[in-house]
Amino acid sequence: MTSFTLTKSVPFSLTKSAPSLRKIRFGLGWDENRLPGQKSFDLDASAIVIGSNGMMLDPANYVGYVGYVRPDYSVHGVSYGGDNRTGSGDGDDEFIEVDLDKVGPEVEKIAIAVTIYAGSTRNQSFGQVRNAYIRLHNIETDAEVARLDLTTDTSRATAIIFGELVRRNGNEWEFSGSQEEVVGGLSGVCGKFGLNIPEEVDQG
């Protein structure tokens, strides 16, 4: 299947478009901050496992750098690949992986978010980060399914909910891109789904 650019609020069926897709990687990449005297851009990928009420199933169903920096940590088939604090290196700098065959029946959605660590205190936003992207990748076939450019010159956001994996009709899955900008960084993102993370944890 040919990779395409995601469009806000236009869902596509993974079951129909890519029926063999069972193991997904959401890869996050960005360029280093090369301005003299400026702090590095530290982007973080995270996932939130959500039940039928639209809230996180359990506080442990957050997967990301806060408390879960071990690459082997997994919940409902969702795992975090580790923290990159500068964007150095080629390819994906951070990633979230989802094994759809391990997602429990009580899970309705998995939200994927990207935040800028300490973005408010460092006066950083997605409008300043160069070549920031997130892509949906088929682990088993090594094929890119879709991509979204996270860099917009006008964005002052420090947190974006990239989109949601949504369960339909029992065991069918679709992905809905939201590109929702959220106030309050990671604390704001998690608060939308019922998890309170102290603001200072995300502000350095």
Side-chain angles (χ1 to χ4, degrees):
M1 132 176 224
T2 303
S3 175
F4 65 93
T5 301
L6 287 167
T7 303
K8 183 176 180 179
S9 301
V10 178
F12 72 95
S13 172
L14 299 178
T15 303
K16 295 177 181 177
S17 301
S20 65
L21 181 62
R22 305 308 300 166
K23 294 182 179 180
I24 303 168
R25 172 179 286 194
F26 291 96
L28 168 65
W30 70 98
D31 286 351
E32 294 179 83
N33 188 353
R34 299 185 180 279
L35 294 176
Q38 297 294 309
K39 293 281 189 179
S40 297
F41 294 123
D42 182 2
L43 274 59
D44 293 299
S46 57
I48 299 166
V49 182
I50 302 166
S52 59
N53 63 352
M55 294 287 108
M56 191 178 304
L57 285 172
D58 181 271
N61 289 167
Y62 162 85
V63 180
Y65 77 93
V66 178
Y68 301 121
V69 297
R70 304 187 314 275
D72 62 344
Y73 180 82
S74 179
V75 57
H76 285 289
V78 184
S79 58
Y80 174 60
D83 191 18
N84 182 316
R85 299 184 178 182
T86 65
S88 62
D90 297 327
D92 299 338
D93 297 307
E94 291 196 13
F95 60 86
I96 296 286
E97 291 186 347
V98 182
D99 186 338
L100 294 177
D101 291 330
K102 294 182 179 179
V103 179
E106 65 271 37
V107 177
E108 293 289 326
K109 298 179 181 180
I110 300 170
I112 307 297
V114 181
T115 55
I116 302 176
Y117 178 74
S120 296
T121 57
R122 296 177 180 179
N123 294 315
Q124 295 176 345
S125 68
F126 281 102
Q128 299 170 318
V129 184
R130 298 297 89 190
N131 298 319
Y133 70 85
I134 191 164
R135 67 187 187 121
L136 194 161
H137 185 80
N138 187 330
I139 295 174
E140 295 179 309
T141 65
D142 197 31
E144 182 177 292
V145 178
R147 176 181 288 252
L148 176 68
D149 181 5
L150 296 175
T151 299
T152 59
D153 291 338
T154 59
S155 176
R156 300 180 65 184
T158 60
I160 295 176
I161 297 176
F162 163 56
E164 296 177 335
L165 279 171
V166 183
R167 188 194 298 273
R168 303 290 188 198
N169 303 319
N171 204 33
E172 296 181 4
W173 291 91
E174 70 178 26
F175 186 81
S176 180
S178 63
Q179 303 175 45
E180 178 185 355
E181 297 186 356
V182 180
V183 175
L186 182 63
S187 298
V189 170
C190 290
K192 286 178 61 67
F193 302 104
L195 175 64
N196 293 320
I197 291 180
E199 186 174 355
E200 58 267 22
V201 170
D202 191 39
Q203 295 306 318

